């Protein structure tokens, strides 16, 4: 192979730059040119790319987000758009493409694979809901961001005897909420995968209040409902003064953690090695600290990764 390409698609996350850098440098070490399409599939549809030689990827490892930028392209979702993407890849003399992103992006990767183009996927989404990998890129950094913010909130919650509802990301996934609840010692994690029994939660909070615990922390995934409505119910049921904090996109940015820098570097290098050895149509992943590769077909058809019941149970037990 003489030329490979890489792009980042969907929601950005920390660690994407590490993966791009590792892919570009692994390609260079094999005398293969790497190009990067700007703004994901949108850039591919416009032949908008830059050459990623070793110098072009200097100084990006420690930066959050993606320096190639990202987008959610509607046009690429159409059959016509996908055919044009294939034409553009052939026009640009690209022989293999690495796609870094979440479920929608991996779906796009599978579409190109089905059109016969060599593609490798790299899982990246702070939601950690992609099957066939223990960890997607960006999850660890997002969790570190969350626990930093929640630790700050705990200080002020205890100074004022207040209950806080902290809303974290995860439209359909409670991974960030459960994991950060365990790591911050929160009383409750509210996740989309488990139906909320508001009366029971208020009952338990009241019991704790009567035992003398005058502040409380509840971490809620954004997909569950309206944080202010839950806060109002707690106020009415117990008398706690309540406040709501929505962490929002703060969670997705910032310098990548050591874990995400290493994971991105491993994924990026492995993706190039796979393409150069003739493997295509797979997503790289992590299982028990080792790198894996799984057919994109299985990843996309695997649906959303199931939240571990043990994780939610642990959040429940340790919050008591
Ligand atoms: O899928 C990753 C994610 O960060 C979700 O947790 C969140 O709901 C969504 O992206 C936000 O998307 P956008 O940045 O397009 O608002």
């Amino acid at each position: 192979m003489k030329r490979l390409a890489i792009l980042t698609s969907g929601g950005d996350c920390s660690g994407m730059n590490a993966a791009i850098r590792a892919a570009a440098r692994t390609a260079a070490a094999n005398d293969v040119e790497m190009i990067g399409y700007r703004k994901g599939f949108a850039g591919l549809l416009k032949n908008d790319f830059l050459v990623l030689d070793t110098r072009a990827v200097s100084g990006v490892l420690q930066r959050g987000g993606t320096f190639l930028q990202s987008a959610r392209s509607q046009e690429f979702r159409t059959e016509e758009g996908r055919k044009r993407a294939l034409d553009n890849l052939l026009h640009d003399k690209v022989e293999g493409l690495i796609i870094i992103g979440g479920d929608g992006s991996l779906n796009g990767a599978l579409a190109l694979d089905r059109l016969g183009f060599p593609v490798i996927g790299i899982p990246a989404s702070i939601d950690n809901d992609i099957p066939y990998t223990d960890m997607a890129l960006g999850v660890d950094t997002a969790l570190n961001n969350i626990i930093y913010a929640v630790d700050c909130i705990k200080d002020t919650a205890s100074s004022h005897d207040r209950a806080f509802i902290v809303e974290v990301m995860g439209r359909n996934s409670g991974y960030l909420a459960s994991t950060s609840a365990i790591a911050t010692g929160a009383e409750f994690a509210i996740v989309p995968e488990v139906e909320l029994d508001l009366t029971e939660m208020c009952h338990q909070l009241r019991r704790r209040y009567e035992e003398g615990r005058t502040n409380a922390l509840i971490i809620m995934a954004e997909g569950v409902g309206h944080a202010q409505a839950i806060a109002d119910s707690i106020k009415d049921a117990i008398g706690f003064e309540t406040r709501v904090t929505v962490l929002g996109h703060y969670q997705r940015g910032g310098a990548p953690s050591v874990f995400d820098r290493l994971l991105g570097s491993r994924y990026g290098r492995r993706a190039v090695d796979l393409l150069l050895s003739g493997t295509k149509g797979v997503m790289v992943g992590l299982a028990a600290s080792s790198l894996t590769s799984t057919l994109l077909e299985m990843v996309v058809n695997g649906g959303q990764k199931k939240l571990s019941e043990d994780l939610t149970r642990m959040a429940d037990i340790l919050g008591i």
Side-chain angles (χ1 to χ4, degrees), residues 10-12 72 103 125-127 129 168-172 176 222 249 252:
D12 70 337
R72 304 188 200 267
D103 51 358
S125 166
I126 67 164
D127 294 353
D129 57 353
V168 298
M169 276 189 168
R171 258 181 304 220
N172 306 308
L176 288 177
E222 66 179 331
H249 286 79
R252 253 182 24 202

Side-chain angles (χ1 to χ4, degrees), residues 17 20-22 24-25 52-63 67:
N17 287 332
I20 299 165
R21 172 181 177 271
R25 292 202 168 165
L52 298 177
D53 58 16
T54 54
R55 287 198 55 200
V57 293
S58 271
V60 302
L61 181 64
Q62 70 281 12
R63 281 166 49 196
F67 77 97

